[in-house]
Amino acid sequence: MKIDVCKKEIRDIQDTPIVQQTAFWSEVKTCQGLETMAFDFKVRNRDIYSQVGGFACTDADFLVLQQPLNARQSLAYLPYGPEIEPSGENQGAFLEELSEIMRSYLPKGCIGIRYDLNWRSHWCDADHFDEKGIWNGAPDKQYQEFQLNYNTINWNLRKSNMDILPSTTIFLDLSLSEEELLKQMKPKTRYNILLAERKGVRVYRTGIDKIDVWYQLYRETARRNGLFVNKADYFLSVLSARADDTASPATVELLVAEHDGEPLAAMFLVMTGHRGTYLYGASSSEKRNYMPTYAMQWEAIKISKAYGCTEYDMFGVSPGPDTSHPMYGLYRFKTGFGGELFHHLGCWDYPLDKDSYALFQASEMGAQGYYK
């Protein structure tokens, strides 16, 4: 397999529905102190897609973040990248070849490349669902590695111990009418949307001027659920980043749901390409019976549809209705809106310095927020 790779300007990153692969996201991460790089690549279709011949090629690109591990070492991270998805039997060889080419572009202290793959899981055919239609999940790590490394030379791809971005999400089809979207929801979800309206919950769009409102709700939510609390500057960077003069900008809306002037919930809605994405959410412990999060989510869906988006990404749920999973509450809430569950392949690593990577892999197991 031959892949031509060359470095490019961040501003020229192609338009994409994947927020984390845009020039906008590079700007966000630069504001947060990370170094970013962008690359073009070209590969023959017959090398990556099965049952394809000829000489036609795919031209695409990807964004890389340099995640510092210590004063000397870093990890190259591709959030939901690369976007193009080769046929299953060619994926390992593609990632191997791309990784080996990338070696010369990465800093000397880079110990590996982490691909947070948004490609569909290999284990999503009918045999991997139970009689109730619930996904059985991926097989054990050793089997996953055997399958992805098949057809590679070095057998060097490793399933990481944790996924950074959600490996399961829900996509809503926004080509449906509002009436059709409401119809596909669970009855309880439709009821809660109408209940919030009857209670007088109001959802409005705002920006940086309401960052304090957001942050107060966010801290309350994080502490209620025992989550790590990011600083306000982390979210300020998402609202303040500008990539309007690039090929892949984004529109960011901060939505707030309130009742009688009291903020009850808030969320970040990001629109890129043809997709609206629910990126961050928070809610108060007060007046939860007013169902503000349902009203807010419905408003975000309508805004995305009006913007011209054809799909809506609910962004992150547990793989199934497992009540012990830390994201089960999100699964229960978000599946109520209908749509289709999508299981990603998740994070895969290509070690460049095997000894240093082994130490990093062991330390990551004990990292805060780790879950399978």
Side-chain angles (χ1 to χ4, degrees), residues 302-363:
K302 291 190 292 183
I303 290 171
S304 299
K305 187 172 173 60
Y307 186 79
C309 297
T310 57
E311 66 181 10
Y312 183 75
D313 185 356
M314 301 292 285
F315 199 67
V317 294
S318 59
D322 176 4
T323 56
S324 66
H325 195 283
M327 297 181 74
Y328 169 70
L330 294 174
Y331 176 93
R332 185 177 57 187
F333 170 66
K334 295 178 181 180
T335 53
F337 288 85
E340 179 184 0
L341 274 171
F342 186 91
H343 303 285
H344 300 272
L345 268 179
C347 281
W348 287 80
D349 297 339
Y350 192 91
L352 301 176
D353 179 338
K354 291 190 176 181
D355 290 340
S356 296
Y357 174 78
L359 292 174
F360 162 72
Q361 191 179 42
S363 67

Side-chain angles (χ1 to χ4, degrees), residues 178-198 294 298 336-337:
E178 290 186 11
E179 291 75 18
E180 290 170 323
L181 286 167
L182 285 166
K183 187 176 180 180
Q184 75 172 5
M185 296 178 189
K186 292 180 179 178
K188 185 65 173 177
T189 299
R190 285 196 304 272
Y191 175 82
N192 287 341
I193 291 172
L194 295 174
L195 176 64
E197 183 179 346
R198 290 199 302 270
Y294 289 87
W298 178 230
F337 288 85

